[in-house]
Amino acid sequence: MELSFESHCRKVDLLKVLFASRLFKVELKVKERESSSSSAAASGDHLRLQLSEGEQLYSVNQIVKYLWQKSGHTCDESLDHLTEFEAVAHANDTLNEELTAFLVKATSENMSKVENIGYLKVILSSFLYAHANALSAANEKRVEGWLKGITSSDAFKSALQEAEMRLGIGKLSDAPVVKDAKQAKAQKGKEPAASAEPESSLEEKAKELDKDDLDRLCANWAQATVPQHEAPTHPILPKSGRRNTLITSALPYVNNVVHLGNIVGSLLSADVFARFCRLRGDNVLAICGTDEYGTATETRAIQEKVSPRALCDKYFAIHERIYKYFRIEFDYFGRTTTEWQTKISQDIFWRLHERGHILEESVEQLYCLSCKMSLADRFVEGTCPMCGYEDARGDQCDKCGKLINAPELIKPRCKTCSAAPEIQSSRHLFVDLPKLEPQLVAWHGTVDQEWTANARQITHSWIRDGLKPRCITRDLTWGTPVPLEGFKEKVFYVWYDAPIGYISITANYTDEWEKWWKRSEHDVKLYMFMGKDNVPFHSVIFPSCLLGTGEEYTLVNVLGATEYLNYEDLKFSKSRGTGVFGDQAAETGIEADIWRFYLMYVRPESQDTVFSWDDFQTKNNSELLNNLGNFVHRALSFCAATFDGCVQPVDELTETDRQLIGLVDKEMREFQECLSKTRLRDGVRSLLTISRLGNQYIQLCQPWTLKDQRARAGAINAIAVNVAALIAVLLAPYMPTVSERLQQQLNVKLTAIPERFVALVKPGHKLGEPKPLFSRMEGDRVAELKTKYAGKDAASGASAGGPKEDAKKAGAKDAKKQGAKDAAKGTAKDAAAEGKQKEKPAGKEEASGEKKK
C-alpha cells in the first residue's frame, strides 16, 4: 500500500498514519506528491492511501481504522462517535469539552478498555500530543500519564521522527486546515513555519552589504577551497611562523565539586576558546589542573578522616569524570602536588629573595593549645563581628558574605576540637609588592586593552590605592615547603603557590616547558580565563612575582574574567542542594552539548546572569530545535528525498542567492571577531543568526514547489547544504558532539573556519543519512528537575548564604566592595591571617581531562 501526502499536509495527520503503520505492523510506502488543485485541496485531499484493491482512502481516521483492521483486529463500532469528537476538535485545532470529558471518564473508570481499541488509541494520542499544553492546562493528570506512556514508545518516536523529517520540525498543529479554495491557493506549496523569521527580508538586510565585495565573494564562491588543519602531535611546542596560543583556565580546588557557575566562568570558556583557536589555525596548548594544596584541603581531609593525599586522589578522579562528561578537553590536565611544583615555586622564591623582594614580618594569629597548631582560616570558626552569625569561618561569613580576619572573630573556636584558641605571634614572609609596583604598572599599560572590562577595573582599583606587602607563608603542613632557613616548618600560601601551577603542570607535560613560559625566539600569547574573584591574583600578584625574578617569563596578554552565574533567584549551594553541580548534570539525562550551549548562551560576560530552567527549555526548543536543527534537517532531508543525497551544481547565482551568501559571510566574520576577542556569548548569537538566515532563504525560495525547475531547486538546496556545512564548523567550539554528528550526516571532515563563506561541499558530493540533531525538552521533565535542584531553602526563598534580600542583594554586594577595598589596603598583619582576600588563587573554578590527548 502507498501513502502519499502533500507538502502542506497537517503534520499531526501524517503522524497518525505513520504511528498506526508502526504500531499495527502494516508496511506502507510513503512518498510526497505534487500539491492538489484548489478544489481538491478544499476537499481535504492532502493525505491519500492507495489500497492494493485499487480503492483510495482520504479520511485520516478512516485510514487508521483500515490499518487496524488490516492487521487482523476488529473495531468496536459503538466508539465511532468518539472519532467524530476528535474530528471536530481537529477542525477547530483545539481540545474540545466532549473529548476531554470522555478521556477523563475513561481514565476514571477503565482506560484499559480504551487502550484495547488500537485505532482509537492512535487517533487520540496523536491529537493530544499536538495539544499537550491544553491538556496540561486542564490539569487532567490521569490522561497526561496515559498519553506519556504512549508517546514514549519506540513506535511513536519513530513515527514522529519521520513526520518531522518530511514536513519539518515544529509544532504539530502549526499547519492550518485549508477550508476554502481561496485559502487553498494561498496555502499551496507551503511548508510549516520553521521558527520566528527575522523581521526584515533578505533583500532589506542585504542593503548593508558592500556590492563590490559581494561581487568578488560570489565570483569565487563555488570554486574556492578551504585547506583543512591537521591534528597536532604531542608534545605541542611553539613554532616559528605560527600563532602560538597558550590557554589556561583557573585551577579548581580539588576538594570542591564545581557547579554550573564555576564551569562556565573559566573552564568551559577556556575549552570553547581553545577549540576556536585550533579551527582558525593557531598552534594551541591548553593547560589546566586541580589546585591541591592549602587550608581547604587539610580541613576536608580531617572531616573525611583521610590523609590530604588520599583526599586529593579521590576528588581528582571526580573532577576528571565531570570534565569528561562535558567534553572539556585540555591538552594536559594535571595537579599542583608534584615535584615540578615544588621546584619551580622554590626557584621563583629564591630569585625574589636574592633580588630583595622578600620581607620578614611578625604577625598575630590564632593558636590552639589543645591541638598544638596554628589555626589558619578554615581551621577556626566563631561569631561574625559584622552580623552576629555564630558559624562564620576564619576567612568569611557565609551569612552576610563579608570577609573576616580570623583574630576578629567573636568567641573563636578550633574547628577540630572546639577549644578556644589564643592569639600568638608568628614570623612570616612577605613579597614586597610596593617595590615591584613600578614594574607592574609599566607592564600593565602595555597589555590590559585586550582584557575584559571587569578585569581592568579590578586591577586598576588595586593599583590606584597602592599595593601593600602580601604574606606568602602559612603555618601548615600540606603545601609546598618554604626552603628558607628559619621558615622550613612553614609552607607557601596558596595564592602565591597555586598560579605557579600553570607553569608546573606544563612542565609535567613537557620537559621543554620553558619554550612556552619563558621568552624565546617564538612569540607566545597567553590567554587566562577565570571568574572575577580571581582577577587580582592573576593581574597583580602572580605577574609581580614573575617580574620580580628578573627573568623574561610569559605574562598574561588577555585576561578574560566573567561575572557571576546565579541559580534561579538563589546561590549555588552543595550543602543545601541548591543548583546543579558538575557531578549531577549527567544524571539529568540532558546531553552535555545542550548544557554547553545554554551555559555559553547565558555566559555572564558583562553582568551577573541567571540559570533558569524555564529559559533553558525555551532556548533548547526554540533556538536549537526549531531554528538551527530545523534548518539543517530541512536542507539535508530535501537533498536526500529529492536528489538521492547528491549535492547539485550551482551554475548561476540569483540575486537572492547572492544576498544570502553575503549575509552569511557577514555573520561568519562577526562570529570570528567575537570569539577572537573572547566574547563567546556573542558568538552564539551570530551562529543562530546564520541558521535563521538559512531558514528564511529556504522559505523564500521554496525549492519543493519547483517540480519543473529541477536544476534551480538543486542549486537552492546546494547553497542551503553549504550553509549547514558552515554551521557544522561553527558549532564545533560550543557543541563538539553535535558538530561531529552533523559532519557525519554531511559526510565531511571539517577542521578549519574559512576566512570567507565559500562552498565547503562541492557538486556530486554524496551526503550521509539526515537525522534530527535535537529533541524537544518537555515541560513535565523540566518541572521535575527544577523541583529536584531547588534546595532546602526553596520554600522560604532564602539564598545559600541566608535570607535572599539580606545576603544576596545587600550583604553580598557590600561584602564584595568592602572585601576588595580591604584587600587592596591589606597590611602585613591582615595578609598573614588570610588577609582580606578569599583563599582563591589560580582559581576555584574548573578543569578538564587528565591525559595528553
Side-chain angles (χ1 to χ4, degrees):
M1 289 181 290
E2 181 179 277
L3 178 73
S4 60
F5 66 95
E6 298 179 4
S7 60
H8 55 271
C9 167
R10 272 182 181 267
K11 195 187 306 176
V12 67
D13 289 345
L14 183 58
L15 172 64
K16 284 181 187 179
V17 180
L18 294 175
F19 180 30
S21 71
R22 285 160 170 76
L23 191 65
F24 307 157
K25 295 181 171 53
V26 179
E27 187 173 349
L28 292 178
K29 180 180 179 181
V30 184
K31 73 171 187 178
E32 182 178 356
R33 71 172 188 270
E34 188 174 351
S35 299
S36 310
S37 64
S38 297
S39 59
S43 68
D45 180 14
H46 311 298
L47 196 66
R48 180 191 307 158
L49 181 66
Q50 183 71 43
L51 306 182
S52 57
E53 302 86 55
E55 299 179 1
Q56 296 178 337
L57 292 178
Y58 302 100
S59 166
V60 177
N61 290 350
Q62 285 300 317
I63 292 174
V64 172
K65 187 175 180 180
Y66 175 83
L67 296 177
W68 173 248
Q69 293 171 321
K70 188 72 175 177
S71 65
H73 296 85
T74 58
C75 296
D76 185 345
E77 302 297 335
S78 65
L79 293 177
D80 275 358
H81 68 286
L82 292 173
T83 63
E84 297 176 12
F85 289 163
E86 190 273 345
V88 173
H90 180 93
N92 294 321
D93 206 16
T94 186
L95 193 60
N96 57 37
E97 294 181 4
E98 294 92 340
L99 197 55
T100 303
F102 164 74
L103 288 166
V104 172
K105 183 173 183 290
T107 50
S108 301
E109 295 176 355
N110 184 13
M111 180 56 87
S112 62
K113 179 181 179 181
V114 177
E115 291 202 58
N116 288 331
I117 309 303
Y119 75 96
L120 192 59
K121 175 180 178 179
V122 170
I123 291 169
L124 296 180
S125 63
S126 300
F127 178 77
L128 290 175
Y129 184 79
H131 295 276
N133 290 338
L135 187 61
S136 179
N139 199 29
E140 303 301 345
K141 298 299 182 184
R142 285 193 186 90
V143 182
E144 285 187 80
W146 172 77
L147 175 63
K148 186 175 180 180
I150 296 172
T151 57
S152 61
S153 67
D154 291 341
F156 187 90
K157 289 179 179 178
S158 174
L160 179 60
Q161 180 176 323
E162 182 174 352
E164 290 180 332
M165 181 190 75
R166 294 181 179 278
L167 293 176
I169 302 174
K171 293 189 298 181
L172 289 173
S173 57
D174 58 7
V177 173
V178 179
K179 296 183 179 179
D180 54 47
K182 183 177 180 181
Q183 184 180 353
K185 184 176 181 179
Q187 181 71 11
K188 185 177 179 180
K190 286 189 178 180
E191 284 191 339
S195 61
E197 300 288 359
E199 291 183 2
S200 54
S201 65
L202 291 179
E203 182 180 6
E204 194 67 29
K205 287 177 176 290
K207 290 179 180 179
E208 304 173 4
L209 301 175
D210 181 277
K211 186 179 183 303
D212 292 337
D213 180 68
L214 182 59
D215 288 342
R216 289 190 294 270
L217 175 65
C218 291
N220 196 40
W221 183 83
Q223 294 78 28
T225 59
V226 179
Q228 300 302 304
H229 304 310
E230 295 183 1
T233 57
H234 291 275
I236 301 170
L237 298 174
K239 297 179 180 179
S240 298
R242 294 287 300 277
R243 182 160 46 192
N244 298 300
T245 304
L246 179 59
I247 300 171
T248 68
S249 162
L251 307 182
Y253 274 141
V254 71
N255 59 291
N256 284 349
V257 177
V258 293
H259 55 65
L260 297 181
N262 301 141
I263 290 172
V264 70
S266 54
L267 195 134
L268 180 58
S269 295
D271 180 70
V272 168
F273 184 71
R275 291 176 184 274
F276 163 71
C277 289
R278 294 187 189 102
L279 284 174
R280 73 177 181 182
D282 291 14
N283 182 42
V284 177
L285 179 66
I287 291 293
C288 192
T290 47
D291 175 12
E292 302 191 351
Y293 283 135
T295 313
T297 302
E298 277 200 61
T299 305
R300 178 61 67 88
I302 292 172
Q303 292 172 349
E304 298 194 13
K305 298 180 180 180
V306 297
S307 68
R309 169 60 67 186
L311 183 94
C312 291
D313 291 344
K314 169 187 172 181
Y315 280 92
F316 181 81
I318 292 174
H319 280 269
E320 280 199 304
R321 288 197 298 271
I322 291 172
Y323 308 134
K324 182 178 180 181
Y325 164 74
F326 278 103
R327 285 201 66 179
I328 296 173
E329 299 167 351
F330 289 93
D331 294 299
Y332 187 79
F333 183 76
R335 312 170 69 165
T336 57
T337 51
T338 65
E339 291 182 7
W340 271 113
Q341 178 74 9
T342 300
K343 177 179 172 59
I344 297 173
S345 295
Q346 291 182 347
D347 179 70
I348 290 174
F349 166 77
W350 278 124
R351 293 182 184 278
L352 289 169
H353 187 270
E354 291 165 0
R355 295 169 68 84
H357 298 309
I358 299 296
L359 305 175
E360 296 182 19
E361 294 280 351
S362 182
V363 298
E364 292 182 341
Q365 61 186 41
L366 297 176
Y367 184 87
C368 179
L369 295 172
S370 176
C371 296
K372 294 183 172 56
M373 62 181 288
S374 296
L375 301 181
D377 55 358
R378 301 297 178 90
F379 280 98
V380 61
E381 293 179 338
T383 301
C384 174
M386 269 70 81
C387 71
Y389 180 57
E390 295 182 354
D391 293 317
R393 299 194 312 268
D395 63 341
Q396 186 177 23
C397 174
D398 277 341
K399 185 174 183 181
C400 70
K402 294 192 175 180
L403 302 172
I404 299 171
N405 192 5
E408 297 173 351
L409 287 171
I410 301 170
K411 296 181 180 180
R413 60 186 181 275
C414 173
K415 191 169 182 179
T416 303
C417 69
S418 297
E422 65 177 29
I423 294 180
Q424 289 190 355
S425 180
S426 178
R427 292 194 63 76
H428 284 276
L429 300 174
F430 293 74
V431 62
D432 191 353
L433 291 181
K435 187 176 179 180
L436 292 166
E437 186 172 338
Q439 284 181 264
L440 179 73
V441 171
W443 162 77
H444 190 261
T446 66
V447 297
D448 74 341
Q449 291 308 305
E450 290 191 72
W451 295 10
T452 54
N454 56 356
R456 290 198 304 270
Q457 181 180 2
I458 292 169
T459 305
H460 288 164
S461 68
W462 272 59
I463 295 174
R464 181 193 63 232
D465 295 337
L467 301 180
K468 304 295 186 293
R470 305 295 297 181
C471 182
I472 62 171
T473 56
R474 283 294 179 271
D475 289 308
L476 298 171
T477 58
W478 182 246
T480 300
V482 178
L484 184 65
E485 196 65 41
F487 295 87
K488 290 186 177 182
E489 77 284 1
K490 302 179 189 296
V491 300
F492 286 121
Y493 183 29
V494 67
W495 63 250
Y496 162 80
D497 185 59
I500 297 172
Y502 300 126
I503 304 175
S504 72
I505 289 169
T506 308
N508 277 283
Y509 167 68
T510 172
D511 291 338
E512 299 181 83
W513 62 272
E514 290 184 334
K515 290 184 177 180
W516 283 107
W517 284 101
K518 290 186 178 181
R519 301 281 176 84
S520 64
E521 69 273 19
H522 308 296
D523 289 332
V524 172
K525 190 167 186 176
L526 172 59
Y527 291 79
M528 289 184 156
F529 291 87
M530 66 204 66
K532 64 181 178 182
D533 53 340
N534 284 304
V535 167
F537 306 107
H538 294 78
S539 67
V540 175
I541 298 168
F542 184 41
S544 292
C545 291
L546 296 181
L547 288 167
T549 65
E551 296 194 322
E552 294 194 6
Y553 273 96
T554 299
L555 302 177
V556 59
N557 299 97
V558 180
L559 200 160
T562 60
E563 300 293 319
Y564 295 125
L565 176 72
N566 297 311
Y567 181 78
E568 298 289 352
D569 60 348
L570 305 172
K571 296 178 183 178
F572 287 91
S573 172
K574 188 75 170 178
S575 62
R576 292 173 174 80
T578 305
V580 180
F581 284 71
D583 56 344
Q584 299 168 327
E587 300 171 2
T588 64
I590 298 171
E591 185 180 5
D593 271 16
I594 308 301
W595 287 109
R596 289 176 62 109
F597 162 79
Y598 184 67
L599 288 175
M600 285 292 103
Y601 195 99
V602 297
R603 184 174 185 258
E605 293 188 354
S606 57
Q607 61 185 7
D608 291 358
T609 58
V610 175
F611 174 90
S612 161
W613 279 106
D614 293 339
D615 187 56
F616 190 17
Q617 178 191 15
T618 297
K619 295 302 183 293
N620 177 82
N621 293 349
S622 63
E623 295 291 7
L624 291 182
L625 181 64
N626 290 348
N627 172 15
L628 193 152
N630 198 4
F631 164 68
V632 168
H633 197 65
R634 293 170 92 186
L636 272 59
S637 61
F638 185 83
C639 186
T642 310
F643 303 105
D644 195 29
C646 187
V647 178
Q648 301 299 294
V650 182
D651 296 328
E652 184 178 350
L653 295 173
T654 67
E655 188 58 31
T656 301
D657 299 339
R658 287 165 45 86
Q659 291 166 359
L660 175 75
I661 290 171
L663 291 170
V664 169
D665 177 73
K666 177 186 174 185
E667 285 299 330
M668 183 199 70
R669 286 184 285 133
E670 177 65 22
F671 173 93
Q672 296 191 60
E673 177 75 6
C674 290
L675 269 72
S676 295
K677 294 183 176 180
T678 70
R679 299 196 336 258
L680 309 182
R681 182 188 61 193
D682 291 341
V684 176
R685 270 62 172 179
S686 292
L687 173 58
L688 295 173
T689 297
I690 290 174
S691 61
R692 272 191 286 271
L693 288 169
N695 269 317
Q696 189 176 12
Y697 172 73
I698 290 178
Q699 202 68 27
L700 179 64
C701 295
Q702 299 186 5
W704 58 90
T705 65
L706 305 177
K707 306 297 183 181
D708 56 347
Q709 300 179 55
R710 187 175 176 81
R712 176 57 189 153
I716 294 168
N717 180 246
I719 294 171
V721 167
N722 272 284
V723 175
L726 177 64
I727 287 173
V729 180
L730 304 186
L731 272 176
Y734 297 102
M735 308 180 78
T737 302
V738 171
S739 172
E740 290 164 5
R741 284 206 299 263
L742 179 52
Q743 291 190 48
Q744 288 173 359
Q745 294 181 32
L746 288 160
N747 192 24
V748 295
K749 178 69 174 178
L750 302 171
T751 59
I753 295 180
E755 293 184 5
R756 303 295 298 267
F757 172 49
V758 296
L760 299 172
V761 183
K762 303 303 183 183
H765 177 80
K766 182 76 172 180
L767 301 181
E769 180 184 0
K771 296 178 181 178
L773 291 174
F774 307 108
S775 60
R776 185 170 300 280
M777 194 177 288
E778 301 295 350
D780 56 350
R781 178 56 177 161
V782 169
E784 178 185 331
L785 292 171
K786 188 175 183 180
T787 300
K788 179 177 181 179
Y789 297 109
K792 300 175 183 177
D793 297 323
S796 62
S799 74
K804 180 166 56 179
E805 293 299 319
D806 293 339
K808 182 176 168 96
K809 294 185 178 178
K813 185 175 181 180
D814 292 341
K816 292 172 189 172
K817 293 180 179 179
Q818 186 62 39
K821 182 178 179 181
D822 291 346
K825 297 180 179 179
T827 62
K829 175 181 175 180
D830 289 335
E834 301 299 303
K836 296 289 183 178
Q837 286 289 343
K838 300 178 182 178
E839 186 179 345
K840 280 189 176 181
K844 305 314 137 205
E845 256 69 80
E846 39 261 74
S848 156
E850 133 93 77
K851 303 182 175 81
K852 300 175 185 177
K853 307 292 180 195

